[in-house]
């Protein structure tokens, strides 16, 4: 089968930053399913791994990226209970294994689920990583009670994770959503996702206060942890909780949260698959709930651009768009065209 990967970390313009190669088609065993890929989407993690995973070295085998996919199950391992051959599935995969930039992929059935029935492959492909990240942050990390009449500030509302986080909160909880944007197009996008209020992250403290909020109960940062640390520390309510997905260099002053007894927690969507946690199948359950919300019309796709064809050129184009830092919503690649 054909796959696209890299052996050394290069700038995306370098000819060897991504290349096509042949490899053996894998066989499904244990909990694994073998999926024929129809569509994938591009995430910031794709570009980060490409840039960092093989700096000043050459990998023995090419590393295959791709952390979102929709496809058809062709084989199942002996331990698979929740899926069957010919099922149309979607998933985000496992960062420790080969990704979805390939014709066929092995993935643990416990982190995959039936794809939504009411949308097509490229529309469905943009959901898994962002919706799992947002759902885990909201309910597993921040431990939000769905019936509480509280407030959440989502920093980075126009990106892939921010877009779906707004929708999940509005569809499943009573929380008031304040999301950030700065450009006219991102402002309009965040509004269309369902945010109750929109703040400008370039002057976050004043912008939130001008909306009538002295503080917020929860903060979900999907944009810049270090750059917004002082603002988050001031805006978080006493006994509030902050969750971030964005790593940073250097150190932060966590003692600033002490007087408020405020909580800071990380969300990393790959934790369950990376460490094979006891609750790994929770990702299957989350994706089932996401698919139901989509099919009920309560959540809409965040797809904003589709690229056609399984090729190095298509995947490089998607990397360039993500690396521009100006993309709104999500990009998908249709492997069937």
């Amino acid at each position: 089968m054909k796959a696209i990967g890299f052996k050394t970390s290069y700038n995306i313009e370098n000819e060897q930053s991504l290349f096509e190669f042949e490899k053996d088609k894998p066989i499904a065993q244990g909990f694994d399913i073998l999926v024929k890929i129809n569509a994938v989407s591009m995430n910031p993690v794709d570009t980060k791994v490409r840039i960092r995973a093989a700096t000043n070295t050459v990998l023995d085998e090419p590393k295959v990226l791709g952390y979102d996919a929709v496809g058809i199950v062709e084989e199942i391992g002996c331990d698979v209970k929740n899926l069957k051959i010919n099922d149309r599935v979607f998933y985000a995969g496992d960062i420790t294994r080969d990704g979805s930039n390939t014709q066929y992929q092995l993935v643990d059935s416990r982190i995959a689920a039936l794809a939504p029935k009411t949308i097509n492959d490229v529309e469905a492909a943009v959901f898994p990583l962002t919706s799992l990240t947002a759902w885990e942050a909201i309910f597993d990390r921040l431990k939000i009670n769905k019936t509480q009449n509280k407030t959440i500030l989502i920093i980075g509302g126009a990106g892939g994770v921010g877009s779906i986080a707004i929708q999940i909160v509005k569809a499943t909880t009573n929380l008031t959503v304040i999301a950030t944007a700065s450009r006219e197009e991102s402002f309009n996008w965040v509004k269309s996702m369902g945010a109750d209020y929109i703040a400008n992250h370039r002057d976050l403290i004043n912008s939130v206060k001008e909306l009538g909020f002295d503080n917020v109960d929860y903060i979900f940062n999907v944009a810049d942890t270090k750059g917004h640390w002082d603002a988050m520390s001031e805006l978080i309510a006493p006994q509030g909780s902050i969750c971030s997905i964005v790593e940073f260099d250097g150190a932060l002053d966590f003692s600033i949260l002490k007087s408020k007894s405020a909580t800071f927690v990380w969300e990393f969507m790959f934790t369950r698959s990376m460490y094979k946690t006891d609750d790994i199948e929770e990702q299957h359950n989350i994706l089932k709930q996401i698919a139901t919300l989509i099919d009920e019309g309560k959540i809409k796709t965040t797809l904003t651009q589709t690229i056609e064809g399984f090729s190095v050129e298509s995947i490089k184009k998607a990397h360039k768009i993500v690396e521009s830092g100006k993309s709104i919503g999500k990009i998908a690649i249709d492997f069937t065209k």
Side-chain angles (χ1 to χ4, degrees):
M1 68 174 187
K2 294 180 180 179
I4 294 171
F6 68 98
K7 295 182 77 172
T8 300
S9 293
Y10 288 120
N11 182 288
I12 194 62
E13 301 292 347
N14 189 293
E15 184 178 351
Q16 291 299 303
S17 62
L18 292 168
F19 58 85
E20 184 180 296
F21 64 98
E22 295 281 339
K23 64 179 301 183
D24 292 337
K25 183 179 175 181
I27 298 171
Q29 298 177 351
F31 285 105
D32 282 344
I33 54 176
L34 179 67
V35 181
K36 185 180 188 300
I37 307 296
N38 288 342
V40 303
S41 79
M42 189 62 53
N43 293 285
V45 66
D46 290 84
T47 63
K48 290 177 182 177
V49 174
R50 193 200 80 243
I51 292 168
R52 300 173 184 176
T55 305
N56 300 320
T57 190
V58 179
L59 302 176
D60 294 334
E61 298 292 334
K63 184 171 183 62
V64 179
L65 301 170
Y67 306 107
D68 269 327
V70 173
I72 305 298
V73 178
E74 288 212 347
E75 294 177 8
I76 63 173
C78 61
D79 295 322
V80 175
K81 300 292 190 297
N82 55 2
L83 297 167
K84 61 184 186 301
I85 292 172
N86 292 326
D87 278 346
R88 176 173 170 262
V89 296
F90 70 151
Y91 54 87
D94 179 346
I95 200 169
T96 67
R97 306 178 71 177
D98 278 348
S100 56
N101 293 341
T102 181
Q103 291 178 305
Y104 298 89
Q105 182 186 8
L106 283 181
V107 64
D108 193 314
S109 59
R110 296 170 296 179
I111 59 173
L114 293 176
K117 299 173 182 177
T118 56
I119 57 177
N120 63 32
D121 290 341
V122 290
E123 290 171 330
V126 303
F127 275 105
L129 185 145
T130 56
S131 59
L132 283 167
T133 300
W135 190 283
E136 289 182 350
I138 294 162
F139 298 116
D140 295 343
R141 314 306 175 214
L142 292 172
K143 302 186 184 303
I144 287 173
N145 183 320
K146 293 182 180 182
T147 62
Q148 289 176 321
N149 293 308
K150 293 189 174 184
T151 53
I152 184 170
L153 170 63
I154 299 174
I155 301 175
V161 176
S163 298
I164 193 64
I166 294 168
Q167 294 191 70
I168 289 173
V169 171
K170 294 306 297 180
T172 63
T173 79
N174 288 333
L175 266 63
T176 297
V177 176
I178 308 165
T180 71
S182 60
R183 295 174 290 142
E184 182 179 359
E185 56 265 44
S186 57
F187 182 100
N188 292 334
W189 174 262
V190 167
K191 187 175 181 180
S192 74
M193 291 296 103
D196 297 299
Y197 298 91
I198 304 171
N200 189 327
H201 58 251
R202 300 188 188 282
D203 186 14
L204 189 54
I205 295 173
N206 289 329
S207 185
V208 170
K209 290 182 182 297
E210 286 170 4
L211 292 172
F213 300 90
D214 289 330
N215 53 47
V216 293
D217 300 293
Y218 303 102
I219 296 176
F220 183 29
N221 190 327
V222 300
D224 181 356
T225 305
K226 195 169 188 176
H228 293 300
W229 184 250
D230 290 341
M232 292 192 297
S233 300
E234 179 166 337
L235 289 171
I236 194 64
Q239 302 184 107
S241 297
I242 301 168
C243 178
S244 180
I245 66 170
V246 188
E247 69 275 22
F248 54 86
D249 294 325
L252 291 176
D253 180 13
F254 282 88
S255 64
I256 199 170
L257 301 178
K258 182 181 179 182
S259 68
K260 293 184 175 182
S261 296
T263 300
F264 176 85
V265 63
W266 288 111
E267 158 57 19
F268 185 52
M269 191 226 72
F270 295 110
T271 296
R272 283 178 161 128
S273 56
M274 178 182 288
Y275 294 100
K276 298 294 185 290
T277 59
D278 292 341
D279 64 348
I280 185 172
E281 195 162 7
E282 188 60 22
Q283 292 203 334
H284 166 79
N285 297 330
I286 293 169
L287 288 173
K288 282 177 64 177
Q289 293 178 82
I290 293 295
T292 298
L293 289 169
I294 294 166
D295 289 337
E296 291 176 347
K298 295 178 180 178
I299 289 179
K300 57 186 177 181
T301 185
T302 55
L303 176 69
T304 53
Q305 186 170 348
T306 301
I307 300 170
E308 295 183 348
F310 173 65
S311 68
V312 172
E313 292 72 25
S314 294
I315 294 175
K316 280 190 173 184
K317 181 178 180 181
H319 274 249
K320 290 177 184 178
I321 294 170
V322 170
E323 288 184 338
S324 74
K326 296 182 179 180
S327 59
I328 294 175
K330 290 293 297 294
I331 305 157
I333 305 173
D334 189 340
F335 282 6
T336 67
K337 297 294 180 67

